[in-house]
Amino acid sequence: MPSSPIDVLARHLEHVTVGDPLTDLPDLPALAEVLNAVPDPRSRRGRRYRLGPLLALSLLAVLGGAASLAKITRFIAGYDPDLPA
């Protein structure tokens, strides 16, 4: 099973057809569902947080302008500690 998020997203979009965007939106998977479907390549001992929420927070950080892992970490650290959990 591939661990690349791009491969997982591509698999989820294979069944999506382009049509009227206003009527097709309910058929699209939610971002949280897609991020939760990404296979976790970490070993069991390396998991502190679930991968889906961690990817979601990382995505928010990048959309907010974070361009490095250090900036993504600072962005996530600014949130409530219970949020990544």
Side-chain angles (χ1 to χ4, degrees), residues 13-58:
L13 292 177
E14 285 175 353
H15 70 280
V16 176
T17 58
V18 178
D20 183 14
L22 296 177
T23 59
D24 288 343
L25 285 179
D27 297 328
L28 292 175
L31 180 60
E33 293 171 4
V34 174
L35 293 177
N36 280 328
V38 174
D40 196 343
R42 302 172 294 175
S43 68
R44 300 251 336 137
R45 288 183 45 175
R47 296 180 191 182
R48 185 171 181 183
Y49 302 110
R50 290 188 357 249
L51 186 61
L54 190 59
L55 289 173
L57 287 171
S58 299

